[in-house]
Structure formats: C-alpha cells, structure tokens
C-alpha cells in the first residue's frame, strides 16, 4: 500500500498537478507602484491632462496667464510652487502650443521633475519626450523651409538669366 501511495504522489508531482489543498494567498507588494496619495495625485494629473487636451485656445491662454501671474511662494510652500509650475508646463505642452511655449515647458519640466515621485516622473517624462520631438520636428521644418527658399531664389535667378539670354538672341537675330 505504501508503494502505491508513493507512486501516486510521485505521479501527481510529475504531472504538474496542483496540491489537493490550497495555500493561503500571499499578496506581493510591487515596490514601484505604491498605493495611497501617490495614486490619487497621479489621477488628478491625468484629469488635468485630459482637461488641457480638450480645452479651447482661449481657455488655454487664460489658464497659462493665470498660472504665470501667480506669485512665487515662500520656501514653506515649495511643493505648491513646484506643482503650479508643473501645471504651467502641462498647459504649455499642448499640441497646438507655440515653439516658445514648448521650450518654456521643457525648462520647467527639467527643473521640477527630480522633485516628484517616480510615477509622476514617468507621466511628465512622456510630455517631455513629446515636446522634445515636436521641437526637433519644428527645427527640421525650419531648415527645410530655408532650403526651399534658397532653391526658389536660385530658380528665379536662373529664370532671369534664361530670359536675358532669350532677349539677346531675339535682338541679335534679325
């Protein structure tokens, strides 16, 4: 009987079956994603981001002006000041923002990202990379526009030279 019992247990172990009884569930704590106020704070930033993306041009300008007019607080409210500047950076990161606004957003993000938690750094990092990509594309667009202008000017010069040559041929051929 003992032999049959051992063979049965061995067969179950080899077949990969689970135990006939369940082990108590042990919750694993993920170190990178803590719960509590961090989650609520990220949720608030996501809501503000959605509000910013859905806003009109006039509403964005008003919000940017309001955030820029707020006075810088004392050191005791340093986090509040950093949050205000991160809000400003978020509003300046809108897809229709000007190059100057986008550059200002990049400076604000670079200045204040080290002070926020990892989750917010990841959130704002996406805006930072987005802004950088758009700035790079705008720079490339400006370079291409300069090339186009240069080539257009050269074509006009060539057309003028061609016209002068044709006029000379016309005068010389009676």
């Amino acid at each position: 009987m003992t032999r049959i019992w051992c063979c049965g247990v061995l067969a179950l172990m080899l077949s990969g079956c689970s135990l006939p009884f369940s082990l108590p569930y042990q919750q694993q704590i993920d170190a990178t994603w803590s719960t509590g106020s961090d989650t609520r704070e990220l949720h608030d930033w996501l809501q503000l981001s959605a509000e910013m993306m859905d806003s009109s041009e006039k509403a964005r300008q008003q919000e940017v002006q309001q955030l820029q007019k707020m006075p810088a607080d004392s050191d005791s409210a340093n986090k509040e000041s950093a949050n205000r500047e991160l809000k400003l950076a978020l509003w300046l990161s809108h897809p229709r923002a000007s190059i100057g606004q986008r550059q200002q957003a990049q400076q604000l993000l670079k200045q204040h990202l080290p002070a926020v938690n990892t989750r917010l750094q990841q959130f704002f990092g996406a805006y930072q990379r987005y802004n950088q990509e758009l700035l790079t594309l705008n720079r490339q667009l400006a370079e291409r526009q300069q090339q186009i202008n240069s080539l257009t000017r050269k074509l006009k010069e060539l057309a003028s030279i061609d016209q002068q040559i044709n006029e000379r041929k016309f005068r010389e051929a009676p």
Side-chain angles (χ1 to χ4, degrees):
M1 181 73 166
T2 312
R3 237 166 126 182
I4 294 174
W5 179 253
C6 288
C7 288
V9 170
L10 184 61
L12 283 175
M13 287 178 15
L14 290 175
S15 68
C17 293
S18 64
L19 296 173
F21 54 89
S22 63
L23 294 174
Y25 177 73
Q26 295 177 346
Q27 183 178 5
Q28 297 291 328
I29 298 174
D30 189 358
T32 59
W33 299 103
S34 62
T35 58
S37 66
D38 289 349
T39 303
R40 181 67 186 158
E41 186 177 15
L42 180 61
H43 185 263
D44 291 344
W45 282 108
L46 285 169
Q47 282 184 323
L48 181 62
S49 174
E51 179 184 328
M52 178 269 300
M53 292 300 282
D54 291 337
S55 66
S56 67
E57 182 67 28
K58 184 177 179 181
R60 280 193 308 279
Q61 288 175 354
Q62 288 175 345
E63 190 66 31
V64 166
Q65 287 175 353
Q66 181 181 2
L67 288 168
Q68 287 175 335
K69 287 180 183 179
M70 288 181 158
D73 296 332
S74 65
D75 289 339
S76 63
N78 195 18
K79 183 175 177 164
E80 184 100 12
S81 177
N83 278 345
R84 180 185 58 80
E85 294 204 356
L86 284 172
K87 284 179 186 177
L88 178 59
L90 188 67
W91 283 95
L92 293 172
S93 296
H94 191 275
R96 292 194 179 110
S98 68
I99 293 172
Q101 289 176 326
R102 206 166 291 295
Q103 290 171 338
Q104 184 182 0
Q106 287 296 88
Q107 290 173 350
L108 290 170
L109 289 170
K110 186 176 182 180
Q111 181 181 1
H112 295 288
L113 272 186
V116 297
N117 67 47
T118 306
R119 294 174 91 181
L120 289 180
Q121 285 179 356
Q122 291 172 348
F123 171 74
F124 284 114
Y127 278 96
Q128 197 172 28
R129 289 185 299 278
Y130 173 76
N131 280 336
Q132 189 58 50
E133 186 65 25
L134 285 178
L135 288 170
T136 301
L137 290 174
N138 282 331
R139 189 172 29 258
Q140 290 173 351
L141 180 64
E143 290 171 1
R144 297 272 162 76
Q145 188 61 46
Q146 286 178 346
Q147 290 174 346
I148 290 170
N149 292 342
S150 173
L151 291 173
T152 303
R153 187 176 60 252
K154 289 177 182 178
L155 281 173
K156 286 181 181 179
E157 290 173 4
L158 287 174
S160 174
I161 291 170
D162 187 45
Q163 184 180 7
Q164 290 172 359
I165 290 172
N166 286 336
E167 286 175 3
R168 285 183 193 164
K169 284 182 183 178
F170 184 71
R171 285 185 212 154
E172 292 175 1

